[in-house]
Amino acid sequence: MTDEVLERVRDLLPAIAGRNPVAEEDRRLPAETVADLVSVGAFRMLQPKRYGGLESDPVRFYEVVREVSTVCGSSGWVLSILGVHPWHVGLFPREAQDEVWAGGPDVLICSSYAPIGRLTAVEGGYLLSGRWSFASGCDHASWALLGGLVVGDEGRPVDFLSVLVPRADFQVLDVWDPVGLRGTGSNDIVVDKAFVPAHRIVRNYDVSQLRAPGRAVNPGPLFALPFGAVFTTAVAAPVVGVVSGCYETYVAAMRDRVRLSLGGGRFVEDQGAQVAVARAASEIDAAVLQLDRNMADLYDHAVRDAEIPMELRLRARRDQVRATERALAAIDLLFQSAGGNSLRRGNPIERAWRDAHAGSMHVANDAQRALALYGKGAFSLPVEDTLV
């Protein structure tokens, strides 16, 4: 079924690409695009089987994400982010999972993981309040995964949590108006003193230690993987896919181009253009190969029920941010070598350049932070970070 998703997604690509102008103008994905991706099971690839999901090999999921991203960065981004959330919900207690999928397997879940929310303990759970930004695809979501912290008596944070909130308990504020990934609808979410029962909460520390309560009902290898690899790869894969698609478009468009300056001549005969294409292709290949290798190695450990070494977890984070850096290096080469034509609004190179750079701004793509973590591990220093 996983391979079928990829084939069915490929059949959707022309229609998704044709809706690019609408997504850019409306600043959110068209309902038709979301419905198309739902219909082929793309959002259910990392969802528990007990709730109608596919529990796919994660490498296949990211391949589908990259494929969609080649024609529409916003569609690929929303698929990747919303598509990884069923996996995270699968780490919550069974009662929470039962609630989320009570109405069927095609529920969409958005997120904003920054620990902005304030949780006040009450009988049976917590009261949650806060305002979160960058909740991609939230207009299409029935649930939200939100970051929150519990504050002690002295006003200091004592615990960092992820909480599940139904659509009835949050408000979407239409504030998204960026230069790139315009169609992701990454608006703000507001919650005002919503009651969150204890079963709709997981401790970020427990998840990072691979001790999430949901493993009691989802024992498959997919749910033995670290959040720090699964989620962060989800914010790198669309960027790589965007640039990969731009590369193919660039090569096809430039084959017949004739320079109108610098002595004229066919563009493809210019050595500088040839070198730029070679460098860009190599960067894209390296990004894909490292992302896939690391996720395959992680999944292999999980399938064998073997302990996942910290060295591998750190390598996955290292190469995830490097994949984003490589993708940006490639798109910058293409953008620059395309000349003045790349500046025209609405052309594929210009849009891909904006989308790739916008995606790189996600905190999980912060190269300095992730590379420093790897360096600490290499020097045998202690590493404490929930995104590993």
Side-chain angles (χ1 to χ4, degrees):
M1 179 61 185
T2 298
D3 291 337
E4 290 181 24
V5 173
L6 180 58
E7 293 305 315
R8 295 172 70 185
V9 159
R10 284 173 174 158
D11 291 338
L12 298 175
L13 296 184
I16 292 175
R19 300 183 192 117
N20 263 321
V22 177
E24 290 256 320
E25 180 67 24
D26 292 349
R27 298 170 292 111
R28 69 193 68 186
L29 289 193
E32 295 87 350
T33 293
V34 175
D36 282 348
L37 294 172
V38 166
S39 71
V40 300
F43 291 109
R44 291 188 286 111
M45 293 185 72
L46 301 186
Q47 190 164 308
K49 286 183 178 178
R50 65 183 281 122
Y51 297 104
L54 303 178
E55 283 193 34
S56 305
D57 180 331
V59 174
R60 301 281 76 82
F61 171 68
Y62 299 118
E63 183 179 8
V64 169
V65 167
R66 292 197 303 266
E67 196 79 11
V68 173
S69 302
T70 61
V71 300
C72 177
S74 292
S75 296
W77 183 271
V78 171
L79 168 60
S80 199
I81 300 300
L82 269 60
V84 83
H85 293 151
W87 173 83
H88 192 192
V89 173
L91 302 179
F92 277 69
R94 178 186 56 78
E95 296 89 344
Q97 299 180 53
D98 288 346
E99 281 188 75
V100 169
W101 288 300
D106 290 321
V107 172
L108 299 182
I109 308 143
C110 65
S111 75
S112 184
Y113 286 117
I116 291 171
R118 294 298 183 267
L119 289 153
T120 304
V122 295
E123 184 176 355
Y126 295 87
L127 291 180
L128 173 69
S129 294
R131 175 172 174 170
W132 296 259
S133 297
F134 309 115
S136 299
C138 58
D139 290 294
H140 304 284
S142 300
W143 288 79
L145 283 159
L146 302 174
L149 54 84
V150 179
V151 179
D153 295 336
E154 298 180 357
R156 296 179 180 177
V158 296
D159 209 353
F160 295 89
L161 310 172
S162 293
V163 305
L164 265 168
V165 179
R167 185 66 181 82
D169 287 346
F170 67 84
Q171 177 187 4
V172 174
L173 300 184
D174 186 1
V175 298
W176 184 246
D177 191 14
V179 296
L181 293 177
R182 285 184 57 80
T184 60
S186 302
N187 287 305
D188 287 6
I189 283 179
V190 175
V191 175
D192 184 22
K193 296 180 181 177
F195 174 67
V196 182
H199 65 261
R200 284 205 251 119
I201 293 173
V202 291
R203 299 180 65 231
N204 293 355
Y205 180 77
D206 288 343
V207 171
S208 70
Q209 296 298 305
L210 307 182
R211 296 199 303 255
R215 294 224 57 211
V217 291
N218 297 315
L222 182 63
F223 299 95
L225 298 175
F227 180 92
V230 176
F231 180 76
T232 60
T233 303
V235 299
V239 177
V240 175
V242 164
V243 177
S244 178
C246 180
Y247 173 84
E248 297 297 334
T249 300
Y250 173 94
V251 171
M254 295 302 179
R255 283 196 177 102
D256 299 322
R257 180 180 168 188
V258 176
R259 290 190 183 277
L260 300 179
S261 60
L262 301 177
R266 297 180 66 216
F267 180 86
V268 295
E269 294 172 350
D270 180 85
Q271 188 179 62
Q274 296 162 357
V275 170
V277 164
R279 289 187 183 279
S282 179
E283 297 286 16
I284 295 166
D285 281 353
V288 171
L289 289 170
Q290 285 191 306
L291 287 176
D292 284 355
R293 179 193 69 159
N294 290 334
M295 193 54 62
D297 285 354
L298 287 164
Y299 194 58
D300 176 66
H301 277 75
V303 168
R304 293 187 288 107
D305 197 24
E307 181 180 356
I308 299 175
M310 179 56 70
E311 180 183 1
L312 177 54
R313 295 172 68 164
L314 289 169
R315 192 185 83 191
R317 280 289 279 131
R318 177 199 72 188
D319 294 341
Q320 170 254 316
V321 295
R322 288 292 293 127
T324 300
E325 286 190 327
R326 293 183 197 280
L328 293 187
I331 193 69
D332 286 349
L333 281 167
L334 299 178
F335 187 82
Q336 184 177 31
S337 65
N341 285 330
S342 62
L343 296 174
R344 300 181 188 276
R345 285 290 303 274
N347 77 77
I349 296 175
E350 176 265 347
R351 184 169 58 245
W353 189 88
R354 288 189 288 110
D355 286 348
H357 279 272
S360 75
M361 300 301 291
H362 192 286
V363 64
N365 281 325
D366 182 348
Q368 193 77 2
R369 172 183 175 183
L371 296 178
L373 291 173
Y374 183 86
K376 283 185 177 182
F379 288 132
S380 300
L381 298 174
V383 176
E384 296 181 3
D385 194 292
T386 56
L387 282 183
V388 172

